[in-house]
Structure formats: C-alpha cells, structure tokens
Amino acid sequence: MVEETGVLGENHRPLARILVELSALSSHWLKKYPWLRCSVSTDALYSCRCLLFNTEGVEERGFTLAPVNDWSNVHRLTKRHENLSAHTQNLIASENFVDVKHSKKESVMTLLSTKRKEEVRMNRDILREIIGVLILLARQNIAIRGHTDDRSNFMALLKKVAENNKTPRNHLDNPLAQVNYTSPKIQNELIEICGEMIRDKIVQSCEKASFFALIADEATDSSTTEQVSICVRFLDESQEMIVREELLGFVQASDTTEETLADLFLDTLEHYGITIEDMRAQGYDGAANMSGKNRGVQAHIRERIPTATYVHCKAHLLNLAIVHSSYDACVRLMMATMQEIAFSFHYSAEKLVS
C-alpha cells in the first residue's frame, strides 16, 4: 500500500538522512506535481494516479510497477514521466472518477442508460402513431394498402399525421433508420395484436357474465378455404344490462363434418379462455350437419354440455320464411310492388322532399 510521509519504522534509514533527501521535495514541488506520493515504508516515490488507473499498459516502469528511489535524478524522472501519454490518460481517468463520485458528472452506464431510455421512448411514440393510423383505417373500413406501398392509404394518412408531429416526420425522413415499422408484414402483426387485445376484453366480459351462448356459421371464401366465424352472446352487467353479440374471430375448418366442427367450436372457445361449461345455448343455421338432432353439431356439443340448448338462427328463419312465402304469387307481387315504391322514392329527389 502507498503511504504518505509519516512516522518512521525501526528498520528504516536514519531520520537525518531521509530528511535531507526529502528536502529536495519541497512543498512547491509537490504542489506542481500533485500526483506524486512518497512512501516511507518502501523509501520511494510513486505516481498514485498511474498506480490506480493504469489500464492501457505501462510505458515506463518508474513510478508504477517500479517505484523511484533515485533521489539525485528525481526531478528529471518526474518531468519525463509527466510527458507520457499513458500518464495523461490516467490523470483524466482519475479526475473523471472523482467527478462521478461527487456527482459532478454522470457515469458512462448512466449516459448509456439515458440514451437507451430516450430511444425506447421515441420508438414507442412512433409506434403509437402508426397503430393509431391502422386503427383509424380499420374503424372506417378503409383499405390499408394500395397498388404500391408508397401510395397506400396507410402511408398517405401517416405522412399527413407527420406534418404536424416531428417524431414520425423525423422517423420517416431518416434514411439510416434500420426499422420503419411500415411494411405490410408489420402492419399485419400490429393488426393481429390489436385484435387479440380486443378479443381478450370480450372474453373477460363474457366470463364475468357467467353464462353465454355460442353463435357460429361457416362459409367458403374466394380461396375455397372453409372459414368458420365464432361469436358469443352474453349479458354485460357493466353496461346497464346490455345484451352483446361479439365476434371472437375466424378459424379454418379442415372439413364440415359434424364431429370436426363441434370439436373445432369447443377447442376454439377454450383456446380463447372461455369456460365452455357456462354455455347455455348454441345457435346455427338449419343445415343438417349443424342442426341434426342425433348426429348434428348441436347434438355432439350437448353430449359434453347438456345445458347448451340449440336455437335455430332467427336471421336464417326469417330468410327461409321469405323464400317459402315467395312461392305464392300474391306475396311475390307484393314484394315487387314494395321494391318499386322504395326505388321510386330513393332515386327521386322531388318525391323524397315532398
């Protein structure tokens, strides 16, 4: 350990000789070189800054690994050591250490953490604006993409928002940005995340209601893929006892057999987090594979949930009633007459005003 000049030990040189040698180190000299330290135990001089903060390698052994005890040349050795680049770097490192310790400067870790927090905040602000644009387009039922990405509705609206907001404007104008969050893939991921969040809230409300009804229907899309819509109907007590019918999502069916569809409905509800034992009704169209009393989907579900009473879809019942009643000539004539009257008023400004 480096010790400053102090009480002498028994095995040290005579006090008179040491005092003579130390007389060369006047107070003026120590003030001129404040990094010097004199150790009585080793009878030598050290550079305390280099000894503690030397991490770049030692250019000179003197004053660090090898203390200086050549008292006759101490002035020349001191000046030579002070001109070393490693010594200058160690002085700067020690001053920075003291400043950080006394809270005069922020540490490197703090600066890096602050920079990281600023980047996270900026990225969140940018992402918030992008998500807001996607939600607005979805609510207004406007197509997100166009023939090209640059001329899509999404980019047009985002650039309009950026005119009055410097955060997304700087992000869009930055050619060095590694991630823009504007690609179709990112758009789809953000839409899926928003959909999952909405579905989670619907499921929470459905679970609070204790009981619910399942409504499902299947159709073939343009790609000849069998798509099944899954909806729930429940009483929302948090909104003044309002009956809600909410779409949970679309799932793909491998086939339309009764057992496959029944398992698909129940597995999907469980996957979304709904307690299927709370089902008290199930509603489908009148197709045989759905409404069959013995082998239909409703029969398979009632085997697992006896309380799930089957109810024929009212919209399908109305449609069937109109189709069957249209076989009568009077009904067909009445429907045609009502249609002509509606068209007449709808497309005539004069009649509509009068």
Side-chain angles (χ1 to χ4, degrees), residues 217-229 250-251 253 256:
D217 197 7
E218 53 86 19
T220 304
D221 60 13
S222 59
S223 63
T224 66
T225 301
E226 202 72 30
Q227 297 281 353
V228 180
S229 61
F250 293 94
V251 292
T256 58

Side-chain angles (χ1 to χ4, degrees), residues 142-200:
I142 301 175
I144 295 177
R145 292 187 284 274
H147 295 292
T148 61
D149 293 338
D150 294 336
R151 302 189 61 178
S152 63
N153 294 326
F154 168 76
M155 289 303 301
L157 186 56
L158 184 60
K159 290 179 180 179
K160 185 64 178 178
V161 172
E163 291 180 0
N164 301 321
N165 192 329
K166 67 177 182 179
T167 300
R169 181 171 65 249
N170 295 337
H171 176 70
L172 294 176
D173 295 340
N174 184 11
L176 301 179
Q178 297 181 354
V179 181
N180 292 325
Y181 305 108
T182 58
S183 66
K185 182 179 179 180
I186 297 297
Q187 295 172 15
N188 292 337
E189 290 182 1
L190 292 176
I191 292 173
E192 290 178 0
I193 293 173
C194 292
E196 291 176 358
M197 295 177 65
I198 294 173
R199 182 168 56 233
D200 290 341

Side-chain angles (χ1 to χ4, degrees), residues 19-63:
L19 292 176
V20 170
E21 294 175 347
L22 292 181
S23 64
L25 298 175
S26 64
S27 60
H28 173 74
W29 188 261
L30 293 176
K31 289 180 181 179
K32 184 177 179 180
Y33 302 105
W35 45 268
L36 276 177
R37 292 295 183 272
C38 180
S39 174
V40 176
S41 62
T42 59
D43 189 21
L45 293 176
Y46 289 89
S47 172
C48 64
R49 308 291 178 91
C50 295
L51 188 64
L52 296 175
F53 293 93
N54 187 11
T55 58
E56 300 296 331
V58 181
E59 297 182 22
E60 184 185 44
R61 293 175 59 85
F63 294 102

Side-chain angles (χ1 to χ4, degrees), residues 85-121:
S85 60
H87 174 75
T88 303
Q89 295 177 2
N90 294 332
L91 286 179
I92 296 174
S94 63
E95 291 174 357
N96 290 334
F97 176 81
V98 173
D99 290 341
V100 170
K101 198 68 175 178
H102 291 84
S103 301
K104 295 180 179 180
K105 290 183 179 180
E106 293 183 344
S107 65
V108 175
M109 294 301 297
T110 302
L111 294 175
L112 292 176
S113 178
T114 303
K115 180 64 176 177
R116 175 63 177 172
K117 290 180 180 178
E118 180 64 20
E119 291 179 355
V120 171
R121 184 195 64 78

